[in-house]
Amino acid sequence: MINKIVQSMADAMAGIKDGSTVLIGGFGAVGQPDHLIEGLIEQGATGLTCVANNAGTGRVGLARLMELGRVRKIICSFPRSAGSVVFEELYRQGKIELEIVPQGTMAERMRAAGAGVPAFFTATSVGTILANGKEQRDFNGRTYVMEHALKGDVALVEAWEGDRWGNLTYRSSGRNFNPVMAMAADLTIAQVMHIRELGELVPENVHTPGIFVQRVLRIDRGPAWA
Amino acid sequence: MINKIVQSMADAMAGIKDGSTVLIGGFGAVGQPDHLIEGLIEQGATGLTCVANNAGTGRVGLARLMELGRVRKIICSFPRSAGSVVFEELYRQGKIELEIVPQGTMAERMRAAGAGVPAFFTATSVGTILANGKEQRDFNGRTYVMEHALKGDVALVEAWEGDRWGNLTYRSSGRNFNPVMAMAADLTIAQVMHIRELGELVPENVHTPGIFVQRVLRIDRGPAWA
Amino acid sequence: MTGFDRKQMAARVAEDIPEGWFVNLGIGIPTMIANYVPLEREVILHSENGILGMGPAPAPDRVDPWLVNAGKQAVTLRPGGSYFHHADSFAMIRGGHIDLCVLGAFEVAANGDIANWATSENDSAPAVGGAMDLGAGAKRLWVVMEHTTKDGGHKIVERCTYPLTTPGAVSRVYTNLGVLDVVKGKGFVVRDLAPGVTFDQIQAASGAKLHTN
Amino acid sequence: MTGFDRKQMAARVAEDIPEGWFVNLGIGIPTMIANYVPLEREVILHSENGILGMGPAPAPDRVDPWLVNAGKQAVTLRPGGSYFHHADSFAMIRGGHIDLCVLGAFEVAANGDIANWATSENDSAPAVGGAMDLGAGAKRLWVVMEHTTKDGGHKIVERCTYPLTTPGAVSRVYTNLGVLDVVKGKGFVVRDLAPGVTFDQIQAASGAKLHTN
């Protein structure tokens, strides 16, 4: 019997190696796998490259992981959210590397990694400093830059429901980067609000098929999110 | 009030021009917009380039459109289905142009067109005659070919449900090429089994958001498909 | 010189958005535009984080923590709305399916260049978000902003001095002083003046030549 | 020389597929493999037309016209199965998420090349379908086929003579005479012989050198 449901955070985090590229879902607090990030802090892997839309806020979660010196590099579109104090400090001190990627290019680079496309062309960033050093090329009279797939060793995602085959659904705008990151990583770990019996999810409405998911951990995020 | 629901086949087909590239959904009979193809036959546009997985069977639908001399070129992955007699005849007589595309490359080329990606790289077809004349390039030690976006002027798709904003759902394996083609065309026309009130479709489970759909026509496919 | 206040600027943009358009609104004044499009004029709002059909902010006791806009504010979903993932959301943008994007800006140039994300090439950690995708992908890019900086510096310029977000993308600018079209080969053309504002006043507040008609 | 019949060939392949694999089965003998994987050994079948978790053929009175496999035959969906569109389906294939693909073939060469879609470069209208995507994308490609053509021609060859589907992709071949591994730098290695078949017999039926061990 296939059973991707794990019973403990330790099992969820087992085997994440130093130097891994970790994709972290969410857009702000919504769809962010808070508990798994805490689990990663606990687990101890270091020298990480983290890919997330934002560079953490306050001194918890991703910000805490950075503060502990465990993040070598961050790849994101919007590092300067309100309250991204830890990142700003580390960046000023030269203690963290930053790669700024336009949000849509970031999503598409991960989708490409998941879909076996090593590189693609986009008009986004053409004529800006973010295109510096990138190959450019004209198609039908318009200029595009070439962007490369962005693959993860690990993806931490949040979902609404999950089953033992790893099928996931998302709630409302909690979907955001999560399905794309699930596709793009070798080891995708999902924190879910609800475990469903196999067959309970409507086959037409599975948002991330289990082929993209290796581990599912049920988390109680509390009544505010229920 | 936005209302993409049209009341007649003539309204559904209005404005399709000679020389158009027409994307036709479906995989075999499943998810194939049979009625819209009949509508296109009636409508009269000619010199068409048709993109579909198969090259038609029997002497109805796409095969009939070809038999009437209205199709200049067909782009497909599998022209030689059982019963693709019309295509075989025309092709032997040099009366129709054929572009064979691997099935996944065909889907991805349309998805790219819909997503504003003019070209991408894939390992599919490398080392085969289908890669002849295509640009090749190595990424991380593997060779890939460059493939171009495949855009439609018109897409004919079949869906299960539709609403007046153009939101669609698909049933079972009837989804196949339809959502990808809906993204890739300037004018997407959907034949649906059921019209739903706005708000009846669950927002998380809309399969093709209305932004990709211009016209919706209700069709009764009969009890076998209900 | 009276001019528009921020609410009036948002309302002025809203006037020009026809029913049926798919529209992405940036953070700041652009977000306020939604308040001035009557619900019965169906304009479908897109949000980068995977929403079509965004509605107004919820009552404080009806906030859904799972539903935020690109500015991370609580919003609602209208009947007919839908959710999708980030790659699909940006496929809509990059693929040219969004009829209109309205952004704020630091500078807009006579050639349609927009700068709205970084104030220096040496900016330590500029936050680009989805601005470059929207600038390059939307069918139309309009800007709504104050006509000048707080200390009177020019934001309507011949050439941008800040790093670009997208070259040649802006087709219209709404400011507290009026509405300018950006016309290829010509530059800024005054389309409308705010109440109590004269052409000479809006020209004096601009760092680029303005044309009439 | 007895050897396997078609059903036994399918059953022999099925033996080697472990629980938990995502597997795509081509048309013909490959499709029959599903009948020999017991449902309690959970192998998740993928179909190019957007299905994961395909189940056996339905009873004739329970056919769902919306649900067909890549060969357009009626199938069922197992609990836990899901549907998705063609681009997502081939993202699974191209992205290396399918553990195993089993195809039929005209020829398999000692270097792992497979030819299964066209019998001549001048073929008027060859039908490639998803074979090249599967050959290039699946983690493993196995072939199941008769060891020779009906008139005794070689299908196990040093070099393919027909146009390739994918170069260097095949890692194992199941035939009516036995099971061959394709080992890089070495070629065909006999892994198993069908009942009543000797090494000399299988070698004699092959157009390439076979190795033991």
Side-chain angles (χ1 to χ4, degrees), chain C residues 22-171:
Chain C
F22 291 89
V23 179
N24 183 295
L25 300 174
I27 295 171
I29 307 178
T31 300
M32 294 163 55
I33 294 167
N35 302 334
Y36 301 95
V37 180
L39 286 180
E40 57 279 13
R41 191 206 310 161
E42 293 186 333
V43 168
I44 301 181
L45 298 181
H46 172 268
S47 185
E48 294 96 296
N49 55 322
I51 312 172
L52 268 179
M54 266 196 308
D61 60 334
R62 306 211 59 180
V63 167
D64 176 349
W66 294 90
L67 182 44
V68 298
N69 64 13
K72 282 133 193 173
Q73 301 162 307
V75 291
T76 53
L77 191 78
R78 296 179 63 167
S82 57
Y83 301 113
F84 33 85
H85 63 56
H86 244 84
D88 281 348
S89 183
F90 279 86
M92 294 176 190
I93 294 170
R94 200 187 305 101
H97 305 279
I98 303 289
D99 294 291
L100 169 66
C101 174
V102 188
L103 295 176
F106 299 145
E107 295 175 326
V108 177
N111 60 358
D113 290 359
I114 174 176
N116 84 339
W117 72 292
T119 51
S120 148
E121 296 217 5
N122 304 315
D123 190 342
S124 60
V128 70
M132 287 186 182
D133 308 276
L134 286 159
K139 282 185 202 162
R140 294 168 193 82
L141 180 63
W142 294 352
V143 165
V144 56
M145 64 179 189
E146 299 291 337
H147 204 92
T148 58
T149 64
K150 273 172 194 156
D151 48 7
H154 290 149
K155 299 177 58 140
I156 296 289
V157 295
E158 287 295 346
R159 291 279 156 193
C160 289
T161 59
Y162 293 146
L164 294 190
T165 304
T166 313
V170 179
S171 60

Side-chain angles (χ1 to χ4, degrees), chain D residues 140-190:
Chain D
R140 293 168 193 80
L141 179 62
W142 295 350
V143 165
V144 56
M145 64 179 191
E146 300 291 338
H147 204 91
T148 58
T149 64
K150 273 173 195 154
D151 46 9
H154 289 149
K155 299 176 59 136
I156 296 288
V157 294
E158 287 295 346
R159 291 282 156 192
C160 290
T161 58
Y162 292 147
L164 293 191
T165 304
T166 313
V170 179
S171 60
R172 193 178 292 170
V173 187
Y174 296 79
T175 77
N176 52 315
L177 301 186
V179 183
L180 309 175
D181 278 334
V182 183
V183 178
K184 206 145 277 190
K186 189 164 187 183
F188 292 107
V189 177
V190 178

Side-chain angles (χ1 to χ4, degrees), chain B residues 130-204:
Chain B
L130 292 191
N132 286 352
K134 287 182 184 162
E135 179 173 332
Q136 303 203 11
R137 187 152 169 167
D138 286 8
F139 295 95
N140 303 313
R142 190 172 184 190
T143 306
Y144 297 83
V145 295
M146 190 169 82
E147 296 282 356
H148 292 264
L150 176 56
K151 195 177 176 323
D153 298 301
V154 179
L156 308 182
V157 304
E158 182 185 44
W160 178 244
E161 303 168 297
D163 68 23
R164 68 175 175 83
W165 277 15
N167 294 306
L168 304 177
T169 69
Y170 305 92
R171 179 164 164 176
S172 186
S173 72
R175 192 175 315 189
N176 57 64
F177 280 101
N178 287 302
V180 180
M181 290 177 166
M183 289 175 71
D186 291 330
L187 171 62
T188 293
I189 308 165
Q191 76 170 60
V192 303
M193 294 284 291
H194 305 283
I195 297 284
R196 303 296 185 207
E197 287 300 312
L198 204 66
E200 263 191 272
L201 300 179
V202 176
E204 277 89 349

Side-chain angles (χ1 to χ4, degrees), chain A residues 32 37-38 41 56-65 67 86:
Chain A
Q32 187 175 269
I37 299 170
E38 294 303 320
I41 291 172
T57 51
R59 297 192 179 268
V60 296
L62 179 54
R64 177 75 184 143
L65 193 67
E67 193 169 33
V86 170

